[in-house]
C-alpha cells in the first residue's frame, strides 16, 4: 500500500484525519485561515485568547481579542461549523507582556509588545494548548511563509511585502516552526484575503484592520503606563548634548529616540531631535540629526534560524532591519555567544533604540535568519 500523499499542511494523511488548532483573533485574517482549512476538510478547532479584561479602561473597542473580537471569532466558527473555545490568558498576558512594556518605557527603552506576545503567549502557551488538544499543528493568520529547506522548516517573508510580518516573528524558534503553519503567507495582497472571506460568507469580511497595540487605546502609550505605574510621568529637564538646560518636559515616558515634534523648545538655531533618554536623572537629551546616527548595535536574546550554529563562525554577512517600517540593510554580525552579538551596519541608521528588535535576513532571497533585542541604545 502506497503512503498517502502529503496534504496542504504537510502531513501524509487525509485532511479529515489532521487536526489543526487555529489561533483566532476575531479579525479577517485568522478567520479566513480557519474557514479555508475547514472547507478543505481539516479537523479544525478555533481558539481565541482573552488577553485582558475587555470591560476595563485599559482595553479598546475593536482591538485584538477584546470583547467584540471574541464574539466575531465565535460567529465565524458557527458559520463554518467547527468548535471554538475562549481561553482566559489575562494574567499570563499582563505578566509576560504588559508589565514588561511599562517597565521598558520607564527605563527609557522603546518596546515592541507584539513580538513578546507572539513569543511568550501565542507561540508558547497557546501552542502547548494545541498539543494538549492532540492537534497535528497550529495555524495563524500571520503574513509570513514557512518553507521546507534542506535542514528543515525555514521562515520566509510574505509574498506581499506590504503585509510582511517577519519583524514581529523573528523570535519563533525552530521547534515552534516545526509545529506552526501560516496559510496566508503566499497571498499577493490583502484584497485576496478579503475576497476569500466574502467567498466563505464570513461576517468579518469587511472588518477593518486593527492598527494599534491591543491594550493601548488610540496609541496613547503614556496614559497606559501612567495607569500601570502611577507617578511615572514626573517632569524634568531637556538638555543639549553639553548638558545645558534648554527646556522642561512632562515625563520621559512621553518621548522616544529620534523624536523631533512636540519637544516644546525653540530658538536653538537648528532642528533638534531626542538622541538619548536618561530616566534615572529624568532628563531628555536633544541634539542635531547627525547625533542620531548609529553604526554599531549590541543585541542579546538572539534567536538564530540559520542552518549552522550562530556562534560557529566569527562573522555573518547578512541584512538586518532595526525598525518594522524600514527595509533590511547590509550588516556584519559578530557573535559574542550563542545568544549575544555585535551588529555593525554598513550604512549608519538614525533613531536606533533599546527595546527594539534587530531582525536578520539572508542577503539573497526571502529567508529570515532570526534576530535579537537591541539592549543598549547608542
Amino acid at each position: 500500500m502506497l503512503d498517502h500523499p502529503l496534504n496542504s499542511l504537510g502531513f501524509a494523511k487525509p485532511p479529515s484525519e489532521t487536526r489543526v488548532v487555529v489561533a483566532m483573533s476575531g479579525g479577517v485574517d485568522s478567520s479566513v485561515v480557519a474557514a479555508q482549512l475547514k472547507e478543505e476538510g481539516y479537523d479544525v478547532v478555533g481558539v481565541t485568547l482573552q488577553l485582558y479584561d475587555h470591560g476595563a479602561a485599559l482595553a479598546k473597542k475593536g482591538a485584538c481579542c477584546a470583547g467584540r473580537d471574541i464574539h466575531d471569532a465565535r460567529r465565524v466558527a458557527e458559520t463554518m461549523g467547527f468548535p471554538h473555545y475562549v481561553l482566559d490568558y489575562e494574567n499570563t498576558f499582563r505578566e509576560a507582556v504588559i508589565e514588561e512594556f511599562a517597565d521598558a518605557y520607564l527605563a527609557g527603552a522603546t518596546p515592541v509588545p507584539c513580538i513578546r506576545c507572539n513569543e511568550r503567549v501565542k507561540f508558547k502557551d497557546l501552542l502547548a494548548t494545541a498539543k494538549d488538544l492532540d492537534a497535528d499543528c497550529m495555524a495563524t493568520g500571520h503574513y509570513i511563509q514557512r518553507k521546507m529547506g534542506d535542514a528543515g522548516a525555514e521562515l520566509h517573508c510574505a509574498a506581499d511585502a506590504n503585509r510582511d510580518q517577519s519583524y514581529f516573528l523573528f523570535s519563533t524558534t525552530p521547534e515552534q516552526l516545526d509545529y506552526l503553519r501560516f496559510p496566508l503567507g503566499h497571498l499577493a495582497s490583502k484584497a485576496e484575503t478579503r475576497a476569500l472571506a466574502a467567498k466563505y460568507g464570513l461576517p468579518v469580511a469587511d472588518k477593518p484592520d486593527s492598527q494599534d497595540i491591543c491594550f493601548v487605546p488610540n496609541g496613547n502609550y503614556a496614559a497606559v503606563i501612567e495607569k500601570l505605574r502611577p507617578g511615572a510621568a514626573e517632569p524634568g529637564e531637556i538638555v543639549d548634548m553639553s548638558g545645558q538646560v534648554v527646556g522642561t518636559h512632562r515625563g520621559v515616558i512621553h518621548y522616544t529616540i529620534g523624536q523631533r515634534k512636540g519637544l516644546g523648545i525653540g530658538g536653538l538655531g537648528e532642528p533638534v531631535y531626542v538622541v538619548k533618554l536618561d530616566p534615572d536623572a529624568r532628563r531628555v537629551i536633544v541634539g542635531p540629526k547627525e547625533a542620531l546616527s548609529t553604526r554599531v548595535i549590541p543585541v542579546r536574546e538572539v534567536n538564530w534560524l540559520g542552518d549552522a550554529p550562530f556562534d560557529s563562525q566569527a562573522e555573518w554577512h547578512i541584512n538586518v532591519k532595526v525598525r518594522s517600517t524600514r527595509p533590511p540593510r547590509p550588516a556584519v554580525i559578530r557573535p559574542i555567544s550563542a545568544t549575544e552579538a555585535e551588529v555593525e551596519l554598513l550604512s549608519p541608521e538614525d533613531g536606533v533604540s533599546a527595546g527594539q528588535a534587530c531582525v536578520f535576513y539572508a542577503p539573497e532571497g526571502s529567508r529570515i535568519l532570526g534576530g535579537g533585542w537591541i539592549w543598549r541604545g547608542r
Side-chain angles (χ1 to χ4, degrees):
M1 179 179 177
L2 294 176
D3 290 338
H4 195 283
L6 295 181
N7 60 34
S8 63
L9 293 178
F11 298 99
K13 54 184 176 180
S16 60
E17 297 176 15
T18 307
R19 175 170 291 178
V20 50
V21 163
V22 179
M24 299 183 69
S25 68
V28 64
D29 298 325
S30 57
S31 296
V32 165
V33 167
Q36 187 172 45
L37 293 174
K38 177 62 178 178
E39 189 188 61
E40 290 179 20
Y42 286 96
D43 178 9
V44 173
V45 179
V47 176
T48 301
L49 302 182
Q50 179 179 313
L51 298 179
Y52 50 83
D53 181 357
H54 49 77
L58 211 64
K60 166 184 183 249
K61 183 181 178 183
C64 168
C65 304
R68 177 71 193 178
D69 297 303
I70 292 173
H71 174 70
D72 287 343
R74 184 178 290 122
R75 288 172 64 208
V76 168
E78 290 172 352
T79 299
M80 297 302 298
F82 59 82
H84 173 256
Y85 302 98
V86 178
L87 304 180
D88 182 357
Y89 276 48
E90 188 177 335
N91 289 338
T92 299
F93 185 68
R94 175 176 283 272
E95 293 168 6
V97 179
I98 297 180
E99 298 290 347
E100 183 187 81
F101 171 84
D103 290 338
Y105 261 105
L106 291 180
T110 308
V112 192
C114 297
I115 300 177
R116 289 301 197 193
C117 182
N118 289 325
E119 173 188 317
R120 296 176 174 177
V121 182
K122 293 177 182 175
F123 290 178
K124 183 184 177 186
D125 293 344
L126 178 55
L127 192 145
T129 298
K131 291 182 177 180
D132 288 342
L133 291 170
D134 292 327
D136 294 282
C137 64
M138 186 174 91
T140 79
H142 289 107
Y143 286 88
I144 199 164
Q145 298 187 81
R146 175 189 183 274
K147 298 181 179 182
M148 293 306 295
D150 294 337
E154 299 176 353
L155 204 59
H156 286 256
C157 295
D160 179 3
N162 293 321
R163 306 296 304 181
D164 177 63
Q165 292 176 287
S166 59
Y167 185 85
F168 300 99
L169 295 169
F170 83 86
S171 61
T172 306
T173 67
E175 294 76 23
Q176 291 167 345
L177 192 54
D178 283 340
Y179 194 70
L180 290 164
R181 300 294 187 273
F182 309 105
L184 301 184
H186 69 285
L187 298 183
S189 70
K190 182 62 178 263
E192 285 191 44
T193 307
R194 293 200 180 276
L196 287 170
K199 169 189 169 185
Y200 299 132
L202 301 184
V204 296
D206 297 319
K207 186 174 181 177
D209 293 340
S210 177
Q211 301 296 323
D212 297 325
I213 293 170
C214 64
F215 61 92
V216 180
N218 305 313
N220 190 346
Y221 302 95
V224 172
I225 296 163
E226 287 185 82
K227 182 179 178 68
L228 293 167
R229 301 287 186 272
E234 296 183 14
E237 298 172 336
I238 300 176
V239 301
D240 63 19
M241 297 184 69
S242 67
Q244 181 177 342
V245 178
V246 295
T248 58
H249 65 76
R250 54 197 178 96
V252 172
I253 62 172
H254 291 280
Y255 301 85
T256 57
I257 302 297
Q259 180 177 335
R260 177 184 173 187
K261 296 181 179 179
L263 299 181
I265 53 177
L268 299 182
E270 62 178 356
V272 294
Y273 301 76
V274 175
V275 298
K276 188 176 180 181
L277 299 172
D278 185 347
D280 293 335
R282 300 206 307 275
R283 279 188 160 190
V284 173
I285 297 92
V286 298
K289 186 174 177 61
E290 54 266 26
L292 285 171
S293 184
T294 301
R295 183 183 290 274
V296 177
I297 306 169
V299 296
R300 60 184 178 185
E301 292 184 64
V302 169
N303 179 59
W304 179 246
L305 295 173
D307 295 340
F310 181 56
D311 52 358
S312 64
Q313 59 188 61
E315 293 184 348
W316 296 94
H317 292 256
I318 58 180
N319 294 338
V320 303
K321 184 186 284 195
V322 294
R323 281 192 186 273
S324 63
T325 55
R326 297 182 183 178
R329 303 284 179 84
V332 178
I333 301 179
R334 300 182 179 91
I336 297 170
S337 70
T339 58
E340 286 190 82
E342 180 183 86
V343 177
E344 182 179 354
L345 305 171
L346 271 58
S347 299
E349 287 260 13
D350 292 343
V352 175
S353 174
Q356 294 283 301
C358 179
V359 182
F360 309 157
Y361 297 83
E364 297 178 358
S366 60
R367 188 175 179 185
I368 298 125
L369 296 174
W373 293 94
I374 301 168
W375 65 275
R376 186 175 64 233
R378 314 222 17 84

